[in-house]
C-alpha cells in the first residue's frame, strides 16, 4: 500500500510542478491583438474627448478605457501626443475607375480608392452616383469587391451613370423600376439615389430620382450642376436626411448660397433647419473661401466633409480629405467639431450607424492623427490661398483592425533590434 501511496505522491508532485511551470505561459496569453495607448480619443457618438486607450481584437473594437495594461496586448502602439479617432468617412469620392478616357463611370477620371484613402485616415468612401443601374454590377465586381477601402455608393438616376460630366443625358436612360431593383439588389452597398450634372430644363430626372429614393426608402443626393433648375425649388422638395453637395462653391451653373450682400440666402438656412444635410464636396471647382468663410461667420457650417475626389481634384486645391479638414481648422472650427463631421455625422448621413464610432463591438476602423504646427498655405478651387499655422497629418490607419498605413513606423520594430537568425 505504501508503494501505491508513494507513486501517487510522485504523480501529484509532477503535476504540481507542471502547473507551476506552465502557469505563466497561460497568464501571458494576450487578451488583445492591438492596443493603441495614451492617445487623445475623440469619439463623438460616445461623447469621448479625453486621453484613453483603445483595444482591438479580431478586427473589432474590444475596449475603450483610461488605462489598459500593455501586457494584455500582443502589440502596443504609443499614441501619446496624437488624436485617435474613428476611421474618417469621405462621403463624396468618384472611385468607379476604369480605362475609358475622360469618363467617370468605368473611366480614367475616377481613381482607385486604396491609393488615396488610408494615407488620409479614410477607411470608408461613398461614391456619389458615378454608376447607374446599367453598370452598377460592373462597378461592384471590378472595384468595390476588389478594394480594401470600404466603398458605399449612391446610384445615379441615369442608367449609364456619370460619363463625361457634360450634363447631356438621354431621358430614356431613366428607369425607376430598374433603379429601384438595383438598390434592393445591393442593400449593403447602395445608400441612396443621386442626380447631378444635368443641363436640361425638364424636371423629369429630379422627379424620378426623388421617386426612386422614396420607394427605396433611402436618401437623395443633389450634386448640383443643374443650371436650368433653381436651387431653391429643389431644396424645398428635398426631405430631411437628403444631402446637397458642392455647397460652398462660387460656380456658374447654379445660384450661390450667398446673395449680392454676401449674406446667406434665407432659403438655404430654411433647408438646413429642416434637416437637409450640407456637404462640402470640394472637388476641382466647387469650394471657394469667398463662400465658405462668410457662411461660417454667419453660422452655416458643413455637416460633412466630402472631398469630390477624382483624378484632377486631388492634384488641385482639394488634395485630400485632411487638407479640407485643415482648411476648416484654420478657419476656426474646433478639432472636436471637425472629427464629428468627418466620422459620426458622415455615417449617419448615409444611414450607416454601424460606422463612424469606437463602440465595443464596432469594426476597428481607426485613425491616429497629428496636428503639425508651421507655416502652411491652403488653396481653394479658384486658386486663392489662405495662410494657416496648423495641418492634420495621418500617423496610422487601421481598417478592420489591420494596419493599412503607418507613416513613421509606429508599429514597426527598430531594424537593429531584430532577432538574429
Amino acid at each position: 500500500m505504501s508503494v501505491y501511496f508513494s507513486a501517487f505522491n510522485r504523480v501529484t508532485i509532477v503535476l504540481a510542478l507542471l502547473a507551476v511551470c506552465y502557469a505563466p505561459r497561460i497568464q501571458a496569453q494576450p487578451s488583445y491583438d492591438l492596443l493603441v495607448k495614451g492617445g487623445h480619443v475623440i469619439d463623438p457618438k460616445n461623447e469621448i474627448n479625453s486621453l484613453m486607450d483603445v483595444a482591438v481584437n479580431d478586427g473589432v473594437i474590444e475596449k475603450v478605457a483610461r488605462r489598459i495594461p500593455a501586457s494584455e496586448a500582443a502589440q502596443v502602439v504609443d499614441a501619446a501626443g496624437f488624436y485617435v479617432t474613428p476611421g474618417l468617412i469621405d462621403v463624396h469620392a468618384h472611385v468607379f475607375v476604369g480605362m475609358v478616357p475622360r469618363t467617370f463611370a468605368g473611366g480614367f477620371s475616377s481613381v482607385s480608392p486604396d491609393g488615396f484613402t488610408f494615407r488620409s485616415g479614410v477607411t470608408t468612401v461613398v461614391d456619389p452616383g458615378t454608376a447607374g443601374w446599367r453598370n452598377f454590377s460592373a462597378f461592384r465586381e471590378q472595384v468595390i469587391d476588389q478594394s480594401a477601402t470600404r466603398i458605399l455608393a449612391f446610384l445615379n438616376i441615369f442608367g449609364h451613370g456619370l460619363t463625361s460630366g457634360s450634363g447631356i443625358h438621354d431621358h430614356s436612360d431613366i428607369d425607376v423600376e430598374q433603379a429601384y431593383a438595383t438598390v434592393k439588389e445591393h442593400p449593403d452597398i447602395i445608400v441612396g439615389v443621386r442626380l447631378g450634372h444635368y443641363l436640361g430644363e425638364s424636371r423629369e430626372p429630379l422627379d424620378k430620382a426623388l421617386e426612386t429614393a422614396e420607394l427605396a426608402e433611402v436618401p437623395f443626393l443633389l450634386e448640383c450642376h443643374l443650371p436650368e433648375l433653381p436651387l431653391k425649388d429643389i431644396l424645398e422638395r428635398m426631405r430631411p436626411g437628403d444631402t446637397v453637395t458642392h455647397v460652398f462653391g462660387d460656380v456658374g451653373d447654379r445660384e450661390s448660397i450667398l446673395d449680392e450682400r454676401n449674406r446667406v440666402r434665407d432659403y438655404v438656412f430654411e433647408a438646413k433647419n429642416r434637416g437637409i444635410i450640407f456637404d462640402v464636396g470640394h472637388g476641382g471647382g466647387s469650394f471657394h473661401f469667398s463662400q465658405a468663410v462668410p457662411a461660417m461667420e454667419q453660422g452655416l457650417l458643413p455637416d460633412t466633409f466630402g472631398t469630390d475626389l477624382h483624378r484632377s481634384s486631388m492634384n488641385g486645391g482639394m488634395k485630400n480629405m485632411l487638407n479640407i479638414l485643415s482648411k476648416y481648422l484654420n478657419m476656426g472650427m474646433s478639432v472636436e467639431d471637425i472629427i464629428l463631421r468627418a466620422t459620426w455625422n458622415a455615417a449617419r448621413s448615409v444611414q450607416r450607424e454601424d460606422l463612424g464610432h469606437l463602440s465595443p463591438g464596432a469594426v476597428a476602423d481607426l485613425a491616429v492623427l497629428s496636428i503639425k504646427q508651421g507655416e502652411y498655405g491652403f488653396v481653394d478651387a479658384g486658386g486663392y490661398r489662405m495662410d494657416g499655422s496648423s495641418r492634420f497629418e495621418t500617423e496610422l490607419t487601421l481598417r478592420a483592425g489591420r494596419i493599412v498605413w503607418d507613416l513613421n513606423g509606429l508599429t514597426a520594430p527598430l531594424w537593429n533590434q531584430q532577432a538574429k537568425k
Side-chain angles (χ1 to χ4, degrees):
M1 184 164 180
S2 61
V3 173
Y4 290 117
F5 182 77
S6 176
F8 175 79
N9 279 347
R10 286 197 296 273
V11 172
T12 302
I13 292 170
V14 170
L15 290 174
L17 289 172
L18 288 172
V20 171
C21 291
Y22 284 96
R25 298 183 187 182
I26 295 171
Q27 293 171 358
Q29 184 69 29
S31 300
Y32 312 114
D33 296 332
L34 182 71
L35 177 63
V36 180
K37 193 164 181 61
H40 184 151
V41 175
I42 300 180
D43 180 5
K45 176 184 185 291
N46 293 302
E47 299 182 348
I48 298 174
N49 183 16
S50 62
L51 296 179
M52 303 285 273
D53 299 341
V54 181
V56 174
N57 202 45
D58 291 333
V60 301
I61 302 297
E62 189 76 20
K63 186 177 182 180
V64 179
R66 292 198 177 276
R67 291 179 183 85
I68 301 175
S71 60
E72 296 184 6
Q75 185 174 16
V76 179
V77 176
D78 182 4
F82 301 139
Y83 290 100
V84 179
T85 76
L88 307 184
I89 301 173
D90 183 352
V91 296
H92 191 145
H94 293 278
V95 295
F96 185 8
V97 66
M99 296 305 297
V100 182
R102 298 178 299 279
T103 294
F104 284 89
F108 207 58
S109 294
S110 293
V111 299
S112 180
D114 293 351
F116 307 97
T117 50
F118 301 140
R119 64 184 56 235
S120 299
V122 173
T123 53
T124 300
V125 298
V126 184
D127 185 282
T130 310
W133 59 268
R134 293 185 187 275
N135 50 14
F136 190 85
S137 293
F139 177 29
R140 177 159 194 166
E141 179 181 349
Q142 296 171 20
V143 180
I144 296 174
D145 292 345
Q146 309 304 321
S147 301
T149 306
R150 178 187 294 102
I151 302 174
L152 307 174
F154 282 85
L155 184 74
N156 200 309
I157 192 58
F158 291 102
H160 286 99
L162 179 61
T163 52
S164 66
S166 67
I168 300 173
H169 295 276
D170 182 352
H171 286 206
S172 66
D173 203 27
I174 300 175
D175 189 315
V176 171
E177 290 185 4
Q178 291 282 3
Y180 172 78
T182 303
V183 174
K184 291 304 180 182
E185 184 181 352
H186 304 274
D188 56 327
I189 301 295
I190 298 179
V191 296
V193 178
R194 174 260 197 190
L195 174 65
H197 290 271
Y198 170 63
L199 296 181
E201 296 181 5
S202 171
R203 293 177 179 266
E204 181 187 14
L206 175 63
D207 295 340
K208 298 299 186 183
L210 289 168
E211 179 185 350
T212 305
E214 186 76 27
L215 283 172
E217 299 181 315
V218 294
F220 166 69
L221 171 66
L222 173 67
E223 203 189 347
C224 300
H225 306 306
L226 307 166
E228 305 300 329
L229 301 181
L231 179 61
K232 179 178 184 293
D233 294 351
I234 302 175
L235 288 175
E236 288 176 349
R237 294 190 58 188
M238 293 171 67
R239 307 158 301 167
D242 290 343
T243 294
V244 56
T245 188
H246 300 318
V247 172
F248 304 100
D250 186 8
V251 294
D253 57 8
R254 69 161 172 81
E255 187 174 62
S256 70
I257 61 170
L258 303 181
D259 63 20
E260 61 280 355
R261 297 173 300 158
N262 228 29
R263 303 295 299 175
V264 176
R265 300 180 190 277
D266 290 342
Y267 72 78
V268 173
F269 273 125
E270 290 169 4
K272 189 77 157 54
N273 293 336
R274 280 199 304 113
I276 306 303
I277 296 168
F278 282 44
D279 177 54
V280 170
H282 189 304
S286 297
F287 178 85
H288 296 80
F289 290 126
S290 62
Q291 298 283 309
V293 173
M296 186 170 176
E297 291 173 345
Q298 295 170 53
L300 183 70
L301 305 178
D303 296 300
T304 53
F305 288 118
T307 62
D308 190 13
L309 174 69
H310 52 77
R311 189 166 294 273
S312 61
S313 68
M314 66 187 185
N315 293 316
M318 188 279 287
K319 295 180 176 64
N320 57 38
M321 189 168 183
L322 287 188
N323 195 57
I324 298 175
L325 305 193
S326 298
K327 289 174 180 178
Y328 273 89
L329 182 65
N330 287 279
M331 286 163 59
M333 187 178 286
S334 71
V335 175
E336 296 77 15
D337 282 343
I338 288 170
I339 300 305
L340 167 65
R341 288 158 171 78
T343 59
W344 182 230
N345 270 12
R348 289 189 296 173
S349 76
V350 292
Q351 300 182 340
R352 285 297 300 265
E353 296 190 6
D354 56 316
L355 305 176
H357 54 87
L358 301 176
S359 305
V363 63
D365 290 353
L366 184 148
V368 177
L369 306 174
S370 60
I371 296 181
K372 304 298 184 183
Q373 300 299 322
E375 296 181 0
Y376 305 111
F378 302 96
V379 180
D380 69 9
Y384 292 96
R385 188 184 75 245
M386 169 184 284
D387 291 328
S389 60
S390 303
R391 185 181 71 190
F392 281 101
E393 192 167 81
T394 306
E395 300 292 336
L396 184 74
T397 305
L398 300 184
R399 169 73 177 93
R402 185 170 66 89
I403 298 163
V404 291
W405 173 256
D406 187 349
L407 179 63
N408 291 300
L410 289 177
T411 62
L414 291 172
W415 72 271
N416 57 359
Q417 293 181 6
Q418 58 187 318
K420 300 293 184 180
K421 293 183 179 179

